[in-house]
Amino acid sequence: MSGRRRSPQQPLATFSELVALLAKPEHQHITLLVNLRIAQRVSELFENLRAALAAHGGPDWEAQLAPRVLLGFWSQLDIKYAKATLPRCPRAYVGWGTMIGERNFWDECMVFAIDYPVLRFEGRKFVDKCHAAGKTVVA
């Protein structure tokens, strides 16, 4: 399709709109994976995420909503800001390598989102180790 957009055209939902949906009683079973890329203003990013969660999650947002917002990291540089600002949000490593995940993210993350072809060829041992440690692997 040469430059034309398909109909209907719809904007992507904002994080605040997603959190508003996640906070509804009928969506209590849903977990949202927020795929975070390296940001210039990391502290501002996490403050904005915190503000959106607090705005839509009610007074008990840290206990009811935050544990269902999974923060996905490509870089370990941002994890310290997440731990300080959103300590109740679980953390995930998002990447292509099991060795990088194990070496750099093992102690900080409970979920490992690894590219499926990588898991297919080198992943059985890693998956078994994750399961033995109570961690989750998704592809």
Side-chain angles (χ1 to χ4, degrees), residues 16-30:
S16 186
E17 292 168 337
L18 288 173
V19 171
L21 286 172
L22 196 63
K24 290 184 176 187
E26 63 269 24
H27 298 142
Q28 295 298 307
H29 63 287
I30 297 173

Side-chain angles (χ1 to χ4, degrees), residues 14-110:
T14 66
F15 181 72
S16 186
E17 292 168 337
L18 288 173
V19 171
L21 286 172
L22 196 63
K24 290 184 176 187
E26 63 269 24
H27 298 142
Q28 295 298 307
H29 63 287
I30 297 173
T31 298
L32 174 66
L33 171 60
V34 181
N35 190 347
L36 300 166
R37 302 293 175 129
I38 298 173
Q40 294 291 332
R41 293 182 237 141
V42 177
S43 59
E44 184 179 328
L45 169 68
F46 286 107
E47 286 298 332
N48 289 339
L49 295 177
R50 181 182 176 86
L53 290 168
H56 296 290
D60 201 21
W61 70 271
E62 287 186 286
Q64 298 299 319
L65 188 57
R68 296 187 299 118
V69 177
L70 180 62
L71 303 175
F73 294 94
W74 290 76
S75 167
Q76 62 194 109
L77 300 174
D78 299 343
I79 291 178
K80 68 178 180 180
Y81 294 100
K83 288 172 69 175
T85 311
L86 296 166
R88 299 291 308 270
C89 289
R91 294 174 297 279
Y93 163 65
V94 179
W96 292 282
T98 58
M99 286 181 9
I100 293 170
E102 189 172 350
R103 183 179 61 231
N104 298 335
F105 294 87
W106 188 262
D107 294 332
E108 302 294 344
C109 297
M110 289 304 295

Side-chain angles (χ1 to χ4, degrees), residues 104-122:
N104 298 335
F105 294 87
W106 188 262
D107 294 332
E108 302 294 344
C109 297
M110 289 304 295
V111 176
F112 291 84
I114 308 287
D115 192 45
Y116 178 75
V118 172
L119 286 178
R120 201 170 123 219
F121 291 108
E122 64 183 66

